[in-house]
Amino acid sequence: KYDSWADFSAGNSLIETEELSREDAEKFRLDAYREFYMRPSFIIKTAFKMRGFKDARRIVRGARSIVERMSYFREEMKSDKVR
């Protein structure tokens, strides 16, 4: 079922059932990231927690990381469909 260690990278879901394919699990995971971190309430609460430049820098780095992770997963899913 698995060909190499690359099959266990962050972009590959190891979850698969008779009803849920690995691709669907990845899509649901990506949707969950987006739905959780992009909620207006989450963004507003996070913004109000900022107390200074260090907090703002930390939050911006975290937001960038989340966006990059979502982009990475999206690209991995596209490249898996091409293979």
Side-chain angles (χ1 to χ4, degrees):
K1 190 167 189 166
Y2 302 107
D3 297 323
S4 72
W5 283 107
D7 293 328
F8 298 95
S9 71
N12 289 324
S13 175
L14 298 178
I15 299 170
E16 185 173 24
T17 67
E18 292 177 13
E19 296 85 22
L20 183 69
S21 69
R22 289 173 68 174
E23 292 81 15
D24 288 339
E26 284 300 314
K27 181 186 176 303
F28 292 137
R29 179 168 67 156
L30 186 60
D31 289 345
Y33 264 93
R34 184 182 43 78
E35 287 177 21
F36 182 82
Y37 290 110
M38 300 302 177
R39 289 175 300 139
S41 62
F42 180 82
I43 294 168
I44 291 168
K45 284 180 186 177
T46 303
F48 279 114
K49 289 180 183 178
M50 284 192 288
R51 297 292 177 233
F53 181 73
K54 282 185 177 182
D55 286 342
R57 193 171 73 190
R58 179 182 50 80
I59 289 167
V60 167
R61 273 193 307 217
R64 187 180 324 135
S65 174
I66 291 165
V67 169
E68 287 172 358
R69 179 173 292 216
M70 288 171 42
S71 296
Y72 172 79
F73 289 142
R74 212 172 260 123
E75 290 302 315
E76 281 289 315
M77 288 173 60
K78 284 181 188 177
S79 68
D80 285 345
K81 287 182 183 178
V82 172
R83 289 183 205 167

